[in-house]
Amino acid sequence: AFAGPTGQVLLMTRHEGDHLKAMLASLLVQAMLIAALVPDHGVVGAAWAVLLSTLVWNGLMMYFVRRRLSINPFLAWA
């Protein structure tokens, strides 16, 4: 929820490629973490994989909004 609007901002400002890059990076992180964590930790490992991949996705989207549009995503909380 913290970085949710960043995806919409990227899509509305014609930066779909950056949105896609963030999603692909998140997918790769999630696939690797699921392969590594689920066999030993089961459902808890899957939950960690989803959490970390979501953080990667939102972090990258915040980076792209800051870099491409010069908008500070943290100002939404001010």
Side-chain angles (χ1 to χ4, degrees), residues 15-76:
H15 290 89
E16 297 91 354
D18 292 333
H19 192 268
L20 180 63
K21 289 175 193 174
M23 288 178 62
L24 289 175
S26 174
L27 174 67
L28 292 174
V29 168
Q30 186 172 15
M32 289 187 299
L33 288 175
I34 283 178
L37 296 176
V38 168
D40 292 335
H41 303 287
V43 174
V44 174
W48 276 105
V50 171
L51 171 68
L52 293 174
S53 70
T54 302
L55 290 173
V56 167
W57 182 27
N58 286 323
L60 281 172
M61 286 193 301
M62 290 176 69
Y63 168 76
F64 286 132
V65 164
R66 176 87 171 170
R67 183 173 172 208
R68 302 277 191 235
L69 305 172
S70 298
I71 298 173
N72 187 354
F74 293 107
L75 291 179

